[in-house]
Amino acid sequence: MSVVAVYPGTFDPITNGHSDLVERAAKLFDHLIVAVAGYPSASKQPTFTLSERVGLCGEVLSHLPNVEVHPFENLLAEFVNRCEAQVILRGLRAVSDFEHEFQLASMNRQLVPGVETMFLTPAEQYAYISSSLVREVAALGGDVSRFVHPRVQAALAERLRR
Ligand code: COA
């Protein structure tokens, strides 16, 4: 039986930390679906639209043949069922991620009981990266080339530099 995993997130934008996790997971699962979430509420305004975020993920991850990138706008559990996935994959960067991840995993276990949430840790040099910090550095004119793919760096420069 081939094992399908779904890696959900907002990826606004995808960072080297996300790519590192995807590269690790692509070796473990037969098929990995990077699931780019729509923003559920107006309280968090995206920098990139859903289709821009999907496009950037697709470009950055195009070297991985068993990885696909798809958008989803509703419940993750429903998307996971639709993909017939057996695993939800999440990254744990630090202890501070744990509580939120534990809640998400527990809720998803209620919603899709047959699906297991599994966690990977990114390489240590990416443990402090987050998309919002990268956006902030880019918006203030800082060099983000160590944190994101050159294509993402260019997209950030175009969107954020004043
Ligand atoms: N490297 C770098 N950064 C990482 C990372 C990694 N490996 N893993 C996570 N991050 C960062 C992200 O960049 C993001 O940073 P930011 O807040 O500065 O933008 C932050 O960690 C949170 O990650 P993300 O996974 O994008 O957001 P989230 O935890 O809010 O996402 C969803 C959660 C999308 C999976 C969740 O909201 C969801 O499932 N939504 C769909 C609706 C639903 O089903 N809701 C019920 C859930 S039980």
Side-chain angles (χ1 to χ4, degrees), residues 7-144:
Y7 176 35
T10 44
F11 303 103
D12 190 26
I14 182 168
T15 68
N16 290 345
H18 296 122
S19 309
D20 177 77
L21 211 81
V22 171
E23 282 168 6
R24 289 168 196 282
K27 294 181 197 143
L28 300 175
F29 301 106
D30 298 296
H31 199 68
L32 180 66
I33 298 169
V34 174
V36 183
Y39 275 81
S41 73
S43 63
K44 205 175 170 188
Q45 287 299 320
T47 299
F48 295 103
T49 66
L50 182 55
S51 66
E52 286 170 334
R53 288 181 277 128
V54 168
L56 288 172
C57 287
E59 288 183 58
V60 170
L61 303 172
S62 62
H63 59 295
L64 300 167
N66 62 335
V67 174
E68 279 176 40
V69 181
H70 289 292
F72 76 104
E73 299 221 51
N74 298 311
L75 257 192
L76 174 64
E78 188 258 324
F79 180 80
V80 166
N81 268 337
R82 211 161 4 108
C83 299
E84 299 186 2
Q86 297 93 329
V87 172
I88 296 170
L89 176 75
R90 293 285 289 169
L92 276 181
R93 291 163 299 167
V95 178
S96 51
D97 283 343
F98 179 78
E99 200 165 317
H100 177 58
E101 293 303 330
F102 188 75
Q103 282 188 331
L104 279 184
S106 304
M107 180 58 84
N108 281 320
R109 178 171 281 160
Q110 296 299 315
L111 298 174
V112 269
V115 173
E116 296 297 339
T117 299
M118 294 178 69
F119 299 96
L120 289 178
T121 56
E124 294 69 34
Q125 69 266 31
Y126 301 130
Y128 60 92
I129 300 181
S130 73
S131 299
S132 53
L133 264 185
V134 167
R135 290 196 304 268
E136 187 175 325
V137 172
L140 296 170
D143 177 9
V144 292

